[in-house]
Amino acid sequence: STMPNGVQKENLPTKICVSCNRPFTWRKKWERCWEEVTTCSKSCNRQRRSQNANVLSRTKVEAAEQKAFIDIEEENSLSKELAESTNGINEADISEEVLKLLQLDLECTISVDSDSEDEAKKDNTRNDKQLLHKNSEQFDEKALRKQRRKEVKTERRRKREGNAGANVGRKLCTVCSKQSDSLVRCMIDESRDWNMVSLKFRTPFNFKHKLVG
């Protein structure tokens, strides 16, 4: 709580430090949290924290020791009960039973290991096949793309050299449906639709035309 103005220094409130057990007075830096202050300095605060940590660790150690003591007592009681129950049984019979149980456990472990190895081999084989199939598909696609690019380049080179095929660069005529080197984009009837027509089929309607070829 904030201290009122005009309070003399000797009349300031005091507290007892929980670490060093010495009195300390109110300070300006504690005016907003004076009720929560329990130590007189930072060193006393560190000492208090270390003491609390030591107490907590000691409590944990004692709890662990108590648990270990309880576990030991339970084991001793179980061993006593087992000894009393096996009092009239021959030791040779017990050893034979133990050997049988160990042998069964070993056989089960071996079978489980072999099954897991077989499953792992199958998984590896399946993964290898899938990887090979994927790689082959990728290789085929790459080969096809490469072949197409090669064909396009070859055709372009032939056009530049003038060695292209007879049908290269020719288009179909709308009237005769034959390929021609020179076509005109024109109107050939009253519907006024644009058509690609060979030069020999030009009509009076082709007042707007464009030479193609």
Side-chain angles (χ1 to χ4, degrees):
S1 59
T2 305
M3 297 304 297
N5 295 329
V7 177
Q8 296 182 358
K9 189 175 182 180
E10 57 270 12
N11 296 329
L12 291 174
T14 60
K15 284 186 178 182
I16 302 298
C17 179
V18 297
S19 181
C20 62
N21 294 325
R22 290 182 295 182
F24 63 96
T25 58
W26 179 91
R27 297 176 191 173
K28 178 69 175 177
K29 63 179 180 179
W30 293 331
E31 63 178 350
R32 296 182 182 275
C33 58
W34 172 247
E35 294 179 357
E36 289 82 14
V37 177
T38 56
T39 54
C40 61
S41 61
K42 292 182 179 179
S43 61
C44 288
N45 193 17
R46 286 194 298 271
Q47 186 177 359
R48 178 179 61 83
R49 289 183 179 178
S50 64
Q51 289 175 356
N52 292 339
N54 292 333
V55 171
L56 182 61
S57 62
R58 196 179 302 112
T59 304
K60 289 182 178 179
V61 170
E62 291 177 355
E65 291 178 352
Q66 185 70 18
K67 185 178 180 181
F69 179 73
I70 293 171
D71 293 340
I72 292 171
E73 287 186 348
E74 289 180 354
E75 289 179 0
N76 292 333
S77 63
L78 289 174
S79 61
K80 287 180 180 179
E81 292 178 0
L82 182 61
E84 291 175 357
S85 62
T86 58
N87 230 349
I89 302 175
N90 193 2
E91 293 182 359
D93 297 337
I94 295 173
S95 61
E96 289 178 0
E97 292 293 332
V98 171
L99 288 174
K100 288 180 180 179
L101 291 174
L102 290 174
Q103 188 174 2
L104 287 173
D105 191 10
L106 181 61
E107 290 176 356
C108 292
T109 305
I110 292 171
S111 63
V112 170
D113 292 340
S114 62
D115 293 339
S116 60
E117 289 179 359
D118 294 338
E119 290 294 332
K121 288 180 181 179
K122 289 180 181 179
D123 292 338
N124 292 332
T125 305
R126 194 181 303 110
N127 293 333
D128 293 339
K129 288 182 179 179
Q130 291 177 356
L131 184 61
L132 288 173
H133 183 65
K134 187 176 181 181
N135 291 335
S136 63
E137 288 181 352
Q138 291 178 355
F139 179 76
D140 292 341
E141 291 177 0
K142 288 181 180 179
L144 289 173
R145 288 198 299 269
K146 188 175 181 181
Q147 184 67 22
R148 293 194 198 100
R149 287 196 297 268
K150 191 174 181 181
E151 291 175 357
V152 171
K153 288 181 180 179
T154 304
E155 194 65 32
R156 288 177 182 174
R157 185 171 63 254
R158 287 178 180 175
K159 286 182 181 180
R160 289 195 302 268
E161 295 174 354
N163 299 327
N167 295 326
V168 174
R170 308 182 74 182
K171 295 184 179 181
L172 290 175
C173 175
T174 306
V175 178
C176 63
S177 300
K178 293 182 180 180
Q179 292 184 350
S180 177
D181 294 330
S182 298
L183 298 172
V184 176
R185 181 174 178 269
C186 61
M187 301 177 186
I188 60 176
D189 51 19
E190 295 181 354
S191 64
R192 295 186 177 276
D193 293 330
W194 291 103
N195 297 276
M196 303 300 294
V197 181
S198 180
L199 292 175
K200 62 183 180 181
F201 292 108
R202 293 174 62 186
T203 66
F205 294 98
N206 58 5
F207 54 88
K208 291 183 181 179
H209 64 271
K210 180 179 179 181
L211 186 63
V212 178

